[in-house]
Amino acid sequence: MGRLFGTDGVRGLANRDLTAELTMDLSVAAAHTLRSEGEFAGHRPRAIVGRDPRASGEFLSCATIAGLASAGVDVYDAGVLPTPAIAFLVSDYGVDLGAMLSASHNAMPDNGIKFFARGGHKLGDALEDDIEKRLGTPWERPVGEAVGRVRRLTDGAERYLNHLVEALPNRLDGLHVVLDTAHGAASEVAPEAFRRAGARVTQIGGEPDGLNINEGYGSTHLDKIQAAVVEEGADLGIAVDGDADRCLAVDASGLIVDGDKIMTILTLAMRERHALVGNTVVVTVMSNLGMLQALEREGISYVQTAVGDRYVLEEMKRGGYAIGGEQSGHVILSDHGTTGDGTLTGLMLAARVAQTATTLSELASAMTELPQVLINVKNVDKDRVAQDEGLQAAVAQVEAELGAEGRVLLRKSGTEPLVRVMVEANTLERATQCAERLADVVRDRLAL
């Protein structure tokens, strides 16, 4: 059996892969793991639990709360709020543990659970491995007054809204923004935050019913917000995903502004106001070469990590850096949060548009995106990628051909028997040709 935790918690088909029983057991194990780490030493532990609006979150959040309370943890039920809101509230309330029920941008039938330690930080691999090891092990159950108590968290949304608006360097007065909230967890708080900051808001994807999260809306389905921005004559559009930990943007003409461009814009803005710690931004190996070239032209340093916002955050913490993120729109602003926050990122992007009195299109022109082709090669021995000499020789040959005008990345999937072949080049045709060549080599050399 493979590792239960993926790159962002435990996910699967709700009530089949992720059951109420497993969710409860994970919650108990998380409480015991953090207790053994000394997180709860000398006091009665407290936790905050939140969820996105998908139907399965209703019973899975109850299972999570039950598991924690049965382990002697007092639980505050925050209800439907974005993932970054739960991370913020764990820190703001000074509680010991947080849990979020969400499968992020996945379709409604899926769900997931992720945990936050004190301070609102996601758990590292070692702690997650310890939680897995504790599943199903005997434990002494508290009784009487030692069991955890459960209360409703009534002011969580308001505290989070205040945090968002206070983080802005300037107001958004005069801006017309289209928000696509994916019928998800930010459907109420995101438009309210933009309005409080002064923007005129048109919302789409804002009617969650428990079944429609991410269905044709949100940051993975941008066609509707592209059309809405043009139709409304808005200045820009912001689309978050189901749990609102990421966002992508659309300029006034309907063109997509991805996470790399958003980070480039925000990095330049932070340097201008002397907030760019170490003159450095943290990116992943999937960040577009055009972004890296733009940063180099501006004299800004970058550090690359593995894909996954947890790895970005780890590097940011190591270096004390203030911004990092991914092409997918996960952007971490460590002065204001411990995880990606799509609403905050969108607010900061809109604030830059308002502050410069220019267009998002002009701001995004700071980087030129190189064509990027990604091919998933399935049913191969992904663990032999680095060891296969013939494959590595083929990679070296393509890299030599591309020179400074492109790059190659081969990355094994964390959950499936496949290898991702990514090639960037100065033209789409060249990137496609090189990617297909390497994909053929992967199939031939690593076939199962």
Side-chain angles (χ1 to χ4, degrees):
M1 179 180 174
R3 188 172 186 267
L4 184 61
F5 282 87
T7 56
D8 200 18
V10 179
R11 289 189 193 175
L13 181 61
N15 219 25
R16 293 283 182 85
D17 303 319
L18 188 66
T19 62
E21 295 85 351
L22 175 59
T23 305
M24 185 180 295
D25 289 346
L26 282 166
S27 302
V28 170
H32 291 163
T33 295
L34 292 179
R35 186 185 296 277
S36 71
E37 292 288 315
E39 293 288 326
F40 303 162
H43 68 279
R44 186 179 175 99
R46 299 180 300 154
I48 293 175
V49 175
R51 64 180 180 88
D52 71 25
R54 68 188 75 212
S56 60
E58 296 168 3
F59 74 83
L60 289 174
S61 65
C62 290
T64 303
I65 292 168
L68 292 172
S70 73
V73 180
D74 289 337
V75 183
Y76 297 94
D77 181 2
V80 175
L81 281 176
T83 292
I86 299 304
F88 164 74
L89 292 170
V90 168
S91 174
D92 196 47
Y93 278 91
V95 302
D96 307 285
L97 175 64
M100 179 69 187
L101 284 302
S102 176
S104 190
H105 59 282
N106 287 23
M108 183 278 294
D110 288 347
N111 216 323
I113 183 170
K114 67 185 80 174
F115 295 104
F116 298 97
R118 184 182 292 130
H121 296 283
K122 290 181 180 179
L123 305 188
D125 290 344
L127 283 177
E128 289 182 340
D129 288 341
D130 195 10
I131 291 172
E132 277 196 49
K133 291 175 185 175
R134 290 174 183 269
L135 288 174
T137 59
W139 56 289
E140 185 176 348
R141 298 172 183 270
V143 296
E145 65 181 17
V147 301
R149 304 297 298 275
V150 180
R151 297 173 178 84
R152 178 71 180 166
L153 190 66
T154 58
D155 65 343
E158 187 63 25
R159 290 174 78 145
Y160 177 58
L161 281 166
N162 289 337
H163 158 70
L164 291 173
V165 176
E166 289 170 3
L168 289 177
N170 53 269
R171 288 183 56 79
L172 312 182
D173 299 299
L175 282 188
H176 182 188
V177 181
V178 175
L179 290 182
D180 180 350
T181 50
H183 298 306
S187 292
E188 292 188 14
V189 294
E192 179 63 17
F194 274 83
R195 291 187 187 104
R196 290 189 186 188
R200 175 187 166 201
V201 176
T202 298
Q203 184 180 15
I204 63 174
E207 299 178 358
D209 62 9
L211 306 178
N212 60 359
I213 187 170
N214 298 319
E215 187 176 340
Y217 287 87
S219 60
T220 54
H221 304 279
L222 294 173
D223 54 314
K224 289 184 177 64
I225 193 170
Q226 289 177 284
V229 168
V230 174
E231 182 179 340
E232 294 285 339
D235 296 293
L236 70 156
I238 300 293
V240 299
D241 64 337
D243 72 333
D245 66 348
R246 69 171 76 180
C247 86
L248 295 178
V250 172
D251 69 20
S253 66
L255 293 178
I256 296 170
V257 178
D258 70 7
D260 286 342
K261 289 185 177 180
I262 291 171
M263 278 194 294
T264 302
I265 294 168
L266 297 186
T267 297
L268 294 174
M270 291 173 69
R271 183 180 66 174
E272 186 178 288
R273 61 177 188 269
H274 308 290
L276 187 62
V277 177
N279 195 44
T280 299
V281 58
V282 179
V283 300
T284 77
V285 292
M286 288 295 290
S287 294
N288 193 273
L289 180 59
M291 177 191 184
L292 308 185
Q293 292 173 340
L295 294 173
E296 290 170 354
R297 286 195 301 270
E298 292 290 337
I300 295 172
S301 301
Y302 59 86
V303 179
Q304 287 184 289
T305 74
V307 174
D309 62 333
R310 69 158 62 187
Y311 304 114
V312 171
L313 180 59
E314 286 172 3
E315 185 60 40
M316 291 175 69
K317 289 166 68 176
R318 271 193 290 270
Y321 303 124
I323 182 171
E326 301 182 278
Q327 190 180 71
S328 61
H330 278 113
V331 178
I332 302 170
L333 302 169
S334 61
D335 288 341
H336 308 291
T338 59
T339 187
D341 189 331
T343 305
L344 177 63
T345 299
L347 285 164
M348 288 293 191
L349 187 64
R352 183 60 170 172
V353 173
Q355 184 255 322
T356 57
T358 187
T359 64
L360 179 56
S361 175
E362 186 173 344
L363 292 173
S365 68
M367 74 162 273
T368 301
E369 185 176 20
L370 269 67
Q372 186 180 85
V373 173
L374 178 67
I375 299 176
N376 291 327
V377 186
K378 299 180 179 180
N379 301 315
V380 293
D381 186 353
K382 62 183 180 181
D383 294 321
R384 290 198 293 117
V385 169
Q387 289 75 38
D388 190 276
E389 294 182 359
L391 176 58
Q392 292 305 314
V395 170
Q397 176 63 35
V398 172
E399 288 177 333
E401 293 173 11
L402 293 174
E405 295 181 334
R407 68 180 179 125
V408 175
L409 176 67
L410 266 61
R411 186 168 66 89
K412 63 181 183 180
S413 168
T415 57
E416 301 175 78
L418 64 83
V419 172
R420 307 186 198 282
V421 178
M422 189 275 285
V423 176
E424 290 173 340
N426 55 346
T427 68
L428 179 60
E429 180 182 14
R430 192 177 186 191
T432 301
Q433 289 174 346
C434 291
E436 290 176 345
R437 253 172 65 193
L438 288 177
D440 287 339
V441 176
V442 171
R443 291 188 190 96
D444 291 342
R445 306 223 27 121
L446 305 186
L448 290 173

